[in-house]
Amino acid sequence: MDALVNNFQPLLLAQLKSGDYVGFTFFIGSMAMAAATVFFFFQFSQVKGKWKDSMLVSGLITFIAAVHYFYMRDFWATNQASPTEFRYIDWILTVPLMCVEFYLILRAFGAKVGLLWKMIFYSVVMLVAGYLGETVFRDASPLWGFISTIGYAGILYEVWMGSAKRLSNNSNDPILQKGFNALAWFVFAGWAIYPIGYMTIETGWLAGLIPAESMDIIYNIGDAVNKIGFGLVIYSLAVSKSAQGAEQHVEAGAGKATTNA
Ligand SMILES: *C/C=C(C)/C=C/C=C(C)/C=C/C1=C(C)CCCC1(C)C
């Protein structure tokens, strides 16, 4: 029996200890992401046409996060240290997918792939700089945080003032605009949670004010708010637009019936 357990030791997950609150938030994060994924994939069949693409991407974002959270929880429980690599690999996959969500909802109103690439480029600058500031150049974390913020500002500019905003304005579609504005608020207020976590590291501007252990808690809260919240906005937009499409269909059908009669 002992031999059996020992053979399978590498497959057993590290246990969370009582009082390990950071570990708890990793665990809750993995469950929340998994539950959200099931929800988004199940709702896939409830929406019509191109809205299925948007729902699929929402589900992929939370699915990728769920898998990373599973690994991050284990890494944390084993080492009691931040799973920085898993964290940034998760972000480098999911943040561009969030840019894809913007592109998908604006595509019908003339969004070009160029807009998508521009937003992905800003995301990469933001995340690569953040990673370097947390790892290789930790002593100079404020400088790398600043470079990262330039990438973040680029995304903010696109969705609040740039071409993405203009496409939304020109759409003359109140449902789309409402959804777009909600997503823009997530990028402005929700994404601003992350720099707060970053600044708690020992070379950061908030070092001493907020304990450094809170970084992962802050990132975990940010991920739950942003990945699940973003997906729910897309879901409600997709459902409203699908219902509207169905209504127009019925109206068109009714019109035809009258003409025929
Ligand atoms: C699902 C994951 C998301 C939405 C991650 C977003 C991450 C950010 C907005 C990170 C931003 C950062 C800065 C603006 C400066 C400091 C370094 C970062 C990478 C934490």
Side-chain angles (χ1 to χ4, degrees), residues 216-234:
D216 282 292
I217 298 184
I218 296 171
Y219 285 168
N220 292 353
I221 292 171
D223 279 353
V225 168
N226 289 298
K227 291 181 167 66
I228 300 173
F230 214 81
L232 288 174
V233 171
I234 296 283

Side-chain angles (χ1 to χ4, degrees), residues 24-74:
F24 297 171
T25 65
F26 276 115
F27 188 79
I28 295 167
S30 65
M31 287 302 125
M33 297 295 177
T37 306
V38 172
F39 178 77
F40 294 139
F41 285 160
F42 267 89
Q43 295 304 317
F44 178 85
S45 58
Q46 304 294 315
V47 304
K48 297 207 166 60
K50 66 175 182 118
W51 295 103
K52 289 194 186 306
D53 296 343
S54 302
M55 288 304 295
L56 183 66
V57 175
S58 291
L60 286 177
I61 291 170
T62 51
F63 174 75
I64 292 170
V67 175
H68 282 81
Y69 266 83
F70 185 76
Y71 280 96
M72 290 199 286
R73 188 211 66 92
D74 196 48

Side-chain angles (χ1 to χ4, degrees), residues 101-138:
E101 293 282 31
F102 275 107
Y103 169 70
L104 286 177
I105 67 170
L106 294 173
R107 195 168 47 170
F109 303 99
K112 302 270 178 327
V113 204
L115 169 66
L116 174 60
W117 284 117
K118 199 159 39 165
M119 290 180 71
I120 291 180
F121 171 77
Y122 289 139
S123 310
V124 171
V125 171
M126 174 176 90
L127 297 173
V128 169
Y131 176 73
L132 293 175
E134 278 193 46
T135 55
V136 201
F137 305 118
R138 209 172 162 94

Side-chain angles (χ1 to χ4, degrees), residues 61 88 90-91 94-95 98 126-127 129-131 134 144-146 148-149 152 191-192 194-195 198 219 222-223 226-227:
I61 291 170
Y88 276 87
D90 172 341
W91 289 354
T94 51
V95 173
M98 294 170 111
M126 174 176 90
L127 297 173
Y131 176 73
E134 278 193 46
W144 290 92
F146 175 75
S148 172
T149 304
Y152 179 37
W191 291 22
Y194 298 96
Y198 180 87
Y219 285 168
D223 279 353
N226 289 298
K227 291 181 167 66

Side-chain angles (χ1 to χ4, degrees), residues 186-204:
F186 269 101
V187 174
F188 178 73
W191 291 22
I193 295 172
Y194 298 96
I196 300 173
Y198 180 87
M199 286 188 285
T200 64
I201 68 180
E202 71 285 352
T203 49

